Amino acid sequence: MEAMLTSTAVVALAEIGDKTQLLAILLATRFNRPMPIILGILVATLANHALAALLGAQVAAFLDSPIFRYAVGLSFIAMAAWTLIPDKLEDDAAPRPRFGAFLTTLVAFFLVEMGDKTQIATIALGAQYHDVIAVTAGTTLGMMIANVPAIFLGHELLKRVDLAKVRMIAAAMFLLIGLWVLAQTAGWFG
């Protein structure tokens, strides 16, 4: 349960103001069809994050050593720094509505999420918890918590939410998890 709850919280906060959230708002304004967009985000995120969590868990099992655990801890700390940098979605990167709301969202979200901080966080969470299902469920839930309101409220939500504060909170969570992993690996506590 810890893996799922931590994954949900970390990704929900990290996703606010992220380029995939901006993509969700863009798709909502282009298509004006929330359900196919929500389903496209859900399917794309499940596929992308399941692969990321599996990769993290497999690499962690293969490289189960203090050095790897220190690398995981440092990766969370790096994610803290990365989270403080605001994302932008260039107009050129915006998908052209050609295949309908669901398919456009599915493909766009899957591709834009590649190498994104939430995907890298999912790899690190998979490595930390060795629980692909709980991490995938948690990170997918976190993505949906952040993106579904954005689809319905869009620009109004972004006007009212202080993204700098949200980024600071998400960065603090990544930093705390990273420090926890480092301290646990060093044997400072169980």
Side-chain angles (χ1 to χ4, degrees), residues 58-134:
Q58 292 301 312
V59 169
F62 182 69
L63 300 173
D64 192 20
S65 70
I67 292 171
F68 182 72
R69 287 190 294 276
Y70 281 121
V72 169
L74 292 172
S75 73
F76 276 109
I77 293 170
M79 290 298 303
W82 188 8
T83 299
L84 294 173
I85 302 169
D87 277 334
K88 293 182 238 89
L89 184 67
E90 294 93 31
D91 288 333
D92 295 346
R96 303 286 178 240
R98 183 195 282 180
F99 298 108
F102 174 77
L103 192 56
T104 300
T105 303
L106 175 73
V107 171
F109 250 78
F110 187 85
L111 293 177
V112 170
E113 188 65 13
M114 298 299 276
D116 191 55
K117 65 184 165 233
T118 51
Q119 185 194 41
I120 293 170
T122 302
I123 293 169
L125 288 161
Q128 171 67 21
Y129 289 108
H130 303 266
D131 189 340
V132 174
I133 293 172

Side-chain angles (χ1 to χ4, degrees), residues 150-163:
I151 291 166
F152 289 107
L153 303 175
H155 295 290
E156 289 301 315
L157 182 66
L158 291 179
K159 281 190 233 175
R160 299 184 199 290
V161 174
D162 185 350
L163 296 180

Side-chain angles (χ1 to χ4, degrees), residues 136-150:
T136 301
T139 58
T140 301
L141 181 59
M143 288 285 284
M144 300 311 288
I145 287 170
N147 286 310
V148 170

Side-chain angles (χ1 to χ4, degrees), residues 166-189:
V166 172
R167 277 193 298 278
M168 299 266 277
I169 293 168
M173 286 186 70
F174 280 123
L175 179 63
L176 288 173
I177 292 170
L179 292 173
W180 174 269
V181 171
L182 293 176
Q184 196 174 34
T185 304
W188 293 347
F189 51 88

